[in-house]
Amino acid sequence: MPTFSIHTLGCRANQADSEQLAQILLSAGFEEVAFGQPADCQVINTCTVTREADRKSAQMVRRAARLGEQVVVTGCGAAQKGGAWQRVPSTALRLPPDQREQILEKIGAQHCPSGERLERNWLRRDRARALLRIQEGCDQFCTFCIVPYVRGRARSQTREWVLEQVLQLGAQEVVLSGIHLSAWGRERDEDLADLLEFLLARSEGIRYRLSSVEPDLFPRRVFELMDERLCPHLHLVLQHASDSVLQRMHRGYQLADYDALVQEFLARVPGASLTTDLMVGFPGETDQDFETLMDYVRRTPFARIHVFPYSQRPGTSAARFPDQVPEAVCQIRRDRLLKLAERKRVAFQRQNLGQVREALVESESERPGWMKATSDNFLPLLLRGGPALRGKRLLCRLQRRWGEQIIAVVEEGF
Ligand code: SF4
């Protein structure tokens, strides 16, 4: 049986693409092995969002090429302009992200047992949760971001297509993802709330979660739909809290707009969890801008924050901005923000102790006799039990902190 491995860099959208690639290869009779093991086809799903991501992408491609088998490079680094593609061995095959469904043709049909694609069995083994990409590209052109240049204009799958994929996936939880997920359906005068209503009415028993969303086009009607089937969790990207930085980033909103959305979310969705992405060291970011950001983070109950130091991407307008922040200053700001983010994460954990939440059991823990689970409000949990629990949705009481996780017990009688 031919084998494949996948290594994924970057965001949830890339992870969703890797899921799709894995399904296609599994359906064609391939067997998946861990990345780094000998495999007939090694896929590297690259990211170019920062210089560091670009460097790591190229490094992973070179590492895969040293194993001597077929290497397929996809993701943003495989797009026409920029990215890791320019620096990878000439033997690697380039699979632009919008052509990922053609991976079998790309690698040659000889690996396909029947010579054709088999009926798709979308569920990758042991996956309680599946990621599904429903939107592609972005029209926002934030000044620091290379993505619109490499992923093209915003476009989205139809709701019928999404439903069909959800039903084929067979997962307990489906995470809907996209490059600019809030822009889903815009070209057809539909929005995310329309899509969620449609899905919830036609896919009984499946729990949904939204991946990262941008505030500008996010429809507030989604809050009305958040209950036990649409997780009360929003990864609402902020990037910065200083209006002058937001303006130069071309984010399309000011802090007051973002905060109004946050306050409404927290007021209308009980037990909600709010997570975000923040960038430090954007060109021209002053000490005062940075303190504004720290101040907003202090007074907002973020459960988790991803901190990104600004990275100069050739081809973006911010790369030509004056006042690039020295790397040493950027590191100091990043470290301060990371420390604060950690305090916020712990505070949210503590706030949830004693509560009963619905958890999805996902995989075995490194701790024997325990399973990893995720609460509806995105807290990582540990539950006593074995693999028979995988894929179950259980009501659990959150008891005590265990590092990054919370020990939880299944509610009696459930
Ligand atoms: S919204 Fe901005 S940061 Fe996000 S993909 Fe589009 S251009 Fe990039």
Side-chain angles (χ1 to χ4, degrees):
M1 187 183 278
T3 53
F4 75 96
S5 64
I6 299 189
H7 184 76
T8 310
L9 295 108
C11 62
R12 283 244 184 142
N14 260 18
Q15 288 169 26
D17 289 351
S18 289
E19 286 282 315
Q20 191 187 10
L21 287 165
Q23 305 312 335
I24 293 171
L25 291 163
L26 288 168
S27 311
F30 279 73
E31 190 184 350
E32 186 172 6
V33 298
F35 182 73
Q37 302 287 313
D40 297 299
C41 170
Q42 305 171 83
V43 182
I44 315 294
N45 195 349
T46 58
C47 170
T48 67
V49 77
T50 63
R51 225 173 350 181
E52 182 60 11
D54 215 16
R55 190 189 64 75
K56 277 194 190 149
S57 297
Q59 190 186 41
M60 294 317 287
V61 177
R62 285 195 295 272
R63 185 178 148 194
R66 279 199 295 276
L67 288 174
E69 302 297 341
Q70 191 172 44
V71 179
V72 177
V73 183
T74 189
C76 290
Q80 291 292 349
K81 292 186 208 156
W85 179 247
Q86 273 83 6
R87 288 178 282 119
V88 304
S90 56
T91 48
L93 292 171
R94 184 164 72 88
L95 181 69
D98 57 351
Q99 292 170 26
R100 60 186 174 275
E101 297 212 357
Q102 279 118 52
I103 184 164
L104 293 177
E105 291 80 352
K106 194 69 160 179
I107 63 178
Q110 70 272 20
H111 287 311
C112 200
S114 64
E116 340 177 315
R117 199 171 300 184
L118 303 179
E119 196 54 30
R120 284 186 187 178
N121 169 18
W122 284 91
L123 185 59
R124 209 168 166 183
R125 287 180 309 276
D126 303 335
R127 292 292 160 105
R129 171 193 290 153
L131 272 166
L132 181 63
R133 168 79 77 102
I134 63 168
Q135 188 276 338
E136 178 63 271
C138 183
D139 298 336
Q140 180 74 32
F141 288 92
C142 298
T143 52
F144 56 80
C145 185
I146 194 76
V147 168
Y149 303 97
V150 296
R151 293 279 184 159
R153 304 304 300 250
R155 58 218 181 261
S156 45
Q157 302 286 3
T158 63
R159 51 191 186 170
E160 290 77 16
W161 182 94
V162 180
L163 178 65
E164 194 189 324
Q165 306 305 312
V166 164
L167 296 177
Q168 285 184 14
L169 277 164
Q172 283 292 314
E173 180 180 303
V174 177
V175 184
L176 302 175
S177 84
I179 297 285
H180 191 331
L181 187 57
S182 300
W184 180 90
R186 204 178 173 208
E187 66 273 36
R188 296 181 296 270
D189 280 334
E190 293 177 289
D191 66 26
L192 260 187
D194 297 327
L195 173 67
L196 288 162
E197 261 175 351
F198 180 82
L199 294 175
L200 289 165
R202 289 166 182 79
S203 54
E204 210 178 316
I206 295 174
R207 180 167 108 167
Y208 292 91
R209 188 184 295 278
L210 294 177
S211 186
S212 169
V213 289
E214 298 286 336
D216 52 339
L217 297 172
F218 186 79
R220 292 170 183 222
R221 203 158 52 85
V222 169
F223 301 150
E224 289 164 24
L225 305 171
M226 284 186 164
D227 62 3
E228 70 274 7
R229 293 214 24 232
L230 175 59
C231 290
H233 168 216
L234 211 54
H235 186 85
L236 189 62
V237 179
L238 171 61
Q239 297 297 12
H240 214 283
S242 152
D243 284 339
S244 78
V245 175
L246 286 171
Q247 199 180 5
R248 278 177 292 119
M249 285 179 163
H250 195 235
R251 293 289 294 164
Y253 55 86
Q254 298 211 313
L255 180 65
D257 307 318
Y258 180 92
D259 191 51
L261 192 57
V262 162
Q263 297 310 328
E264 187 172 337
F265 170 57
L266 297 174
R268 290 177 61 181
V269 184
S273 112
L274 174 71
T275 56
T276 196
D277 294 342
L278 296 175
M279 183 181 287
V280 293
F282 186 75
E285 181 194 58
T286 61
D287 285 344
Q288 183 54 48
D289 291 326
F290 179 68
E291 294 309 328
T292 302
L293 175 60
M294 291 289 281
D295 179 55
Y296 185 66
V297 173
R298 271 185 215 106
R299 62 192 162 87
T300 309
F302 291 113
R304 201 173 294 185
I305 300 171
H306 298 150
V307 179
F308 299 94
Y310 168 73
S311 176
Q312 207 172 359
R313 308 305 297 133
T316 60
S317 30
R320 298 186 299 274
F321 284 3
D323 308 324
Q324 298 281 329
V325 176
E327 207 158 317
V329 176
C330 202
Q331 290 302 330
I332 292 169
R333 289 178 184 168
R334 186 190 73 147
D335 292 349
R336 277 187 63 201
L337 186 53
L338 279 173
K339 272 191 196 138
L340 178 57
E342 178 57 12
R343 290 207 296 276
K344 307 293 293 187
R345 186 188 69 75
V346 171
F348 187 70
Q349 267 190 326
R350 291 209 169 105
Q351 182 191 319
N352 275 268
L353 295 182
Q355 290 194 18
V356 175
R357 310 258 13 145
E358 189 191 81
L360 173 68
V361 187
E362 287 170 71
S363 57
E364 283 165 80
S365 151
E366 302 72 45
R367 211 178 156 194
W370 292 79
M371 295 294 290
K372 287 186 194 169
T374 306
S375 71
D376 56 349
N377 62 351
F378 210 51
L379 283 162
L381 309 178
L382 275 183
L383 282 176
R384 221 180 249 290
L389 287 182
R390 184 182 289 127
K392 296 235 177 330
R393 276 163 51 193
L394 303 166
L395 275 186
C396 298
R397 188 169 295 277
L398 313 195
Q399 284 203 318
R400 64 192 159 87
R401 293 178 54 231
W402 179 270
E404 298 225 340
Q405 291 152 321
I406 291 180
I407 305 262
V409 288
V410 179
E411 276 288 271
E412 266 181 51
F414 186 74

